[in-house]
Structures are given as C-alpha cells and as structure tokens.
C-alpha cells in the first residue's frame, strides 16, 4: 500500500500555462516552437533518470530502457518546464494536458510487451513523447490526438525528429484507427470512465492494451486478447487527465 500511495503521489497533476520552447542559434523551427539540436548536455540526466527512477522501480526490459535513454524528453516540454524535463514528475504542456511521469511512460511501454515487428496504437498523442518512445521499439506507431493544436504540434515535432515510422492524426481516440487494425499493442494516455469497446475490437489476438480507467479513482488496467477471450488485470492506482470525446461521436 505504501508503494501504491507513493506512485500515486508522483502522478498528481498541476496545470500551468504553456510557453513556447526557447530559440537558439542551434535550433530548428517546429511551428511556433524552437527545438535545440544539441542534446548532449542532457545525456547524463537521461541516464540518471533511467537508473534512479525507472530501473530502480522494476522496469527491466532492455528495449524500453534504451529508448528512454535515447529520446530527448526535454524537447517535448515547454521551455519554462525544461529544467524539470527529467524529474520524477508529470509536467504541464498547456491546454490542460500533461506529459506523463517518466516511470509511467516506461512502465506502460514495458507492460505492452512490444517487439520490433509490432504495430502499435497510441490514444492521446499529447506532447508526442510516448509516441517517440514507442517509435524506438515498434515497427509502426499510429497515434491519435483529439486536441487540434496538440495534434499539429506533436506531429510537426515527431517529423522534425525523423520518426518516419510514427503516423499521427487528429481524431476521437474512442474510435481507434480502424483502417490499420488489428494492433499488437494499444497504449492509452488519458483516462476514460470505462474501456472503449472499439479499442478492444481493434486489439489483435495475443495483443495487450494498457489503459488508465476511472473518473474520481483511476486504476491502470492491462487487457489481453487471448484465443479464449479478453482478460483484464488491475495493477496500480494512477492519475491521468480525463479522456476527451465521447464513444461513437
């Protein structure tokens, strides 16, 4: 119980205004943002993040740890939050949305049991950080964001960072992405009141969905589609922003 409460405390959200990423001489333009090309100064912070926040809590998949060490998380947060980019906390990215705590990103990625041959669906692109981590591991990643400004911003950034295997669109995540189903794994980064049926229908046999569910009280649920039917496993309490949109709309 103490561990669960501790994890939950890391996930409490504080919504702050979003600010543009700072410009510099070594930068590329991403919409109204500027993305620094020099990432070397953050490499030690990424290594420390992986060892102290992620591996120490039990995430051991080498593919996941490698991806977390590689993806430049500081490029996915507003400039005002950059000094906290590798801290053990979620961060506001504007528009009442957040980038998840690093441990949660790694935990969900490991729980989805993704291989290099897999096709993955992400619901809730947000900053694009989770999609980038998935893009380091999976064959293809399809990611959906319902907030238009976030959808444009994350898509532009992912393209600038040359994630050619990540495909993003603006849309209602409750409906999934039927044209590319079935998916070997589905990761949902916002909390619906209940698991959307279209997402279960788009999960391949043998595939796993990782999704936070609940309104006031939320739990992380692992859903597996087996030949004998769908199974669910509740793992730990979490706190995510609510899933926007309505089923079937």
């Amino acid at each position: 119980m103490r561990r669960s409460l501790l994890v939950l405390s890391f996930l409490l959200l504080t919504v702050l205004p979003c600010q543009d990423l700072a410009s510099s001489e070594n930068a590329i333009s991403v919409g109204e943002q500027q993305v620094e090309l020099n990432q070397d100064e953050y490499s030690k912070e990424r290594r420390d993040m992986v060892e102290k926040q992620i591996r120490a809590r039990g995430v051991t998949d080498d593919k996941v740890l490698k991806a977390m060490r590689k993806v430049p998380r500081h490029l996915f947060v507003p400039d005002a939050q950059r000094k906290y980019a590798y801290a053990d906390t979620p961060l506001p990215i504007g528009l009442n949305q957040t980038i998840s705590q690093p441990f949660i990103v790694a935990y969900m990625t490991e729980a989805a049991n993704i291989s290099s041959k897999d096709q993955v669906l992400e619901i809730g692109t947000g900053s694009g950080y989770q999609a980038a981590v998935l893009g380091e591991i999976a064959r293809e990643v399809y990611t959906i964001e319902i907030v238009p400004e976030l959808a444009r911003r994350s898509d532009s950034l992912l393209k600038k960072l040359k994630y050619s295997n990540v495909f993003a669109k603006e849309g209602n995540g409750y409906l999934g992405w039927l044209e590319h189903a079935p998916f070997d794994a589905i990761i949902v980064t916002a909390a619906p009141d209940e698991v959307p049926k279209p997402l279960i229908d788009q999960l391949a046999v043998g595939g796993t969905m990782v999704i936070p569910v609940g309104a006031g009280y939320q739990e992380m649920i692992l859903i597996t589609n087996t030949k004998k039917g769908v199974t669910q496993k509740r793992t730990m309490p979490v706190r995510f922003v609510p899933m926007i949109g309505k089923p079937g709309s």
Side-chain angles (χ1 to χ4, degrees):
M1 177 62 71
R2 183 178 179 182
R3 174 184 171 88
S4 297
L5 292 175
L6 185 61
V7 171
L8 180 59
S9 69
F10 288 139
L11 301 170
L12 296 176
L13 307 180
T14 303
V15 178
L16 299 174
C18 178
Q19 298 185 32
D20 291 339
L21 301 181
S23 61
S24 70
E25 294 180 358
N26 298 313
I28 53 177
S29 177
V30 181
E32 295 180 354
Q33 298 176 324
Q34 296 287 318
V35 175
E36 293 180 2
L37 295 176
N38 182 3
Q39 301 170 14
D40 292 345
E41 62 183 304
Y42 293 95
S43 59
K44 182 181 184 300
E45 290 187 57
R46 285 196 295 277
R47 290 195 302 270
D48 289 346
M49 174 190 74
V50 169
E51 294 304 316
K52 297 176 182 179
Q53 301 176 34
I54 297 171
R55 191 195 295 273
R57 290 196 180 106
V59 175
T60 59
D61 189 315
D62 286 339
K63 300 187 301 296
V64 176
L65 299 178
K66 181 179 178 181
M68 297 297 291
R69 281 192 294 264
K70 180 178 179 181
V71 178
R73 180 178 165 88
H74 62 280
L75 298 184
F76 292 86
V77 302
D79 180 64
Q81 302 299 321
R82 185 165 293 187
K83 61 183 177 181
Y84 307 115
Y86 298 99
D88 190 19
T89 183
L91 295 171
I93 58 172
L95 303 169
N96 295 327
Q97 303 298 307
T98 63
I99 180 173
S100 294
Q101 173 193 15
F103 165 71
I104 288 296
V105 173
Y107 170 83
M108 295 180 77
T109 305
E110 181 178 63
N113 193 28
I114 299 165
S115 79
S116 60
K117 298 179 180 179
D118 286 347
Q119 182 169 276
V120 179
L121 174 65
E122 181 198 22
I123 304 299
T125 315
S127 69
Y129 178 66
Q130 175 76 79
V133 171
L134 295 172
E136 293 289 339
I137 302 171
R139 175 172 59 88
E140 292 180 338
V141 177
Y142 293 85
T143 180
I144 303 172
E145 174 56 55
I146 197 170
V147 180
E149 182 178 336
L150 282 180
R152 292 191 296 270
R153 185 194 305 171
S154 57
D155 183 39
S156 177
L157 179 54
L158 289 164
K159 287 177 178 175
K160 290 289 185 181
L161 295 178
K162 301 190 184 304
Y163 282 98
S164 58
N165 64 331
V166 178
F167 307 93
K169 77 169 184 176
E170 177 190 336
N172 184 351
Y174 277 97
L175 305 179
W177 201 330
L178 186 59
E179 304 95 288
H180 299 288
F183 297 97
D184 301 295
I186 299 176
I187 287 181
V188 183
T189 63
D193 292 342
E194 58 185 28
V195 181
K197 187 177 184 302
L199 299 186
I200 295 177
D201 293 341
Q202 292 176 33
L203 186 62
V205 174
T208 300
M209 184 192 313
V210 187
I211 179 171
V213 178
Y217 175 77
Q218 299 174 4
E219 287 183 299
M220 191 73 77
I221 299 179
L222 308 185
I223 298 171
T224 304
N225 187 11
T226 73
K227 292 181 179 179
K228 295 182 179 181
V230 175
T231 66
Q232 295 190 12
K233 178 182 178 181
R234 298 175 184 271
T235 62
M236 63 181 178
V238 291
R239 183 71 180 271
F240 280 76
V241 295
M243 191 167 173
I244 302 173
K246 296 180 179 179
S249 64

